[in-house]
């Protein structure tokens, strides 16, 4: 059986270009920052501007060089007390979208920053996969925020 080629920097640059070229009626993407440290990893931050909403959000992308997966993340800022009371409900809601939640260790000013995270496979990455991934993350974040607003 032929061994699969590991993704390299050219693959990561192709992913970045596909994100910037993503044709979507609801969002615009702008590269805010990126880093290719010496170990070969790629960390990118894209600013998402919503056309139907004056708000914006940051999409975080992480790809360890040689890995087959790219991790996408959106930040969710919560009050620390709200997290303590409702973290089980939040995790249950996120699991329905197949989204992982990584809470920060040290709350700042009583606020806890959580990263909603989803992975996509680099060799099959394309416009359709990215569209599904970003839509899932945004829908998950909206569902969690609306769930918290009801409480």
């Amino acid at each position: 059986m032929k061994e699969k080629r590991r993704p390299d920097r050219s693959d990561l640059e192709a992913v970045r270009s596909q994100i910037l070229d993503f044709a979507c009626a609801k969002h615009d993407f702008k590269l805010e920052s990126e880093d290719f440290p010496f170990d070969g990893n790629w960390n990118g931050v894209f600013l998402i501007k919503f056309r139907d909403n004056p708000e914006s959000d940051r999409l975080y992308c992480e790809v360890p060089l040689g890995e087959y997966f790219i991790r996408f993340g959106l930040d969710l800022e919560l009050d620390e007390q709200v997290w303590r009371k409702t973290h089980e409900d939040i995790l249950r809601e996120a699991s329905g979208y197949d989204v992982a939640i990584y809470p920060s260790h040290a709350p700042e000013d009583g606020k806890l920053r959580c990263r909603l995270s989803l992975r996509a496979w680099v060799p099959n990455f394309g416009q359709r996969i990215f569209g599904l991934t970003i839509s899932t993350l945004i829908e998950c974040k909206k569902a969690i925020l609306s769930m918290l607003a009801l409480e």
Side-chain angles (χ1 to χ4, degrees), residues 4 9 17 42 45 50 53 55 60 74 84 93 98 101-103 105 107 126-129 131 133 143 145:
K4 293 180 182 175
R9 186 172 176 148
S17 296
W42 175 58
V45 179
F50 302 103
N53 191 333
E55 296 180 20
Y60 297 89
L74 290 177
R84 285 186 183 164
E93 186 72 30
D98 247 359
I101 297 184
Y102 300 100
H105 294 289
Q127 296 285 322
R128 183 174 174 276
I129 299 294
T133 302
L145 291 174

Side-chain angles (χ1 to χ4, degrees), residues 16 19-20 29-35 42-48 57-62 71-75 115:
R16 177 189 61 202
I19 292 170
L20 290 171
F29 294 88
K30 178 183 176 190
L31 185 64
E32 187 175 78
S33 68
E34 72 176 337
D35 185 25
W42 175 58
N43 299 315
V45 179
F46 294 85
L47 188 62
I48 307 172
D57 211 337
R58 283 182 173 73
L59 176 68
Y60 297 89
C61 305
E62 302 170 12
R71 287 186 296 269
F72 292 101
L74 290 177
D75 279 347
R115 173 92 28 106

Side-chain angles (χ1 to χ4, degrees), residues 1 5 12-13 15-16 27 44 47 59 63 73 78 80 107 114 117 126 146 148 150:
M1 187 168 155
R5 183 181 71 81
L12 303 181
E13 289 171 352
V15 167
R16 177 189 61 202
H27 326 302
L47 188 62
L59 176 68
V63 183
L78 301 169
E80 186 179 11
C114 298
S117 182
S146 66
L148 293 175
L150 296 175

Side-chain angles (χ1 to χ4, degrees), residues 45-120:
V45 179
F46 294 85
L47 188 62
I48 307 172
K49 293 189 178 185
F50 302 103
R51 293 184 186 167
D52 58 352
N53 191 333
E55 296 180 20
S56 63
D57 211 337
R58 283 182 173 73
L59 176 68
Y60 297 89
C61 305
E62 302 170 12
V63 183
L65 186 65
E67 287 292 321
Y68 290 106
F69 289 94
I70 181 170
R71 287 186 296 269
F72 292 101
L74 290 177
D75 279 347
L76 176 67
E77 199 169 277
L78 301 169
D79 185 69
E80 186 179 11
Q81 298 303 322
V82 170
W83 173 258
R84 285 186 183 164
K85 291 178 193 172
T86 62
H87 71 276
E88 289 179 3
D89 294 332
I90 292 170
L91 293 171
R92 193 175 302 112
E93 186 72 30
S95 71
Y97 290 89
D98 247 359
V99 171
I101 297 184
Y102 300 100
S104 62
H105 294 289
E108 301 168 10
D109 303 327
K111 295 286 185 181
L112 184 72
R113 182 166 298 186
C114 298
R115 173 92 28 106
L116 304 176
S117 182
L118 199 55
R119 297 184 328 166

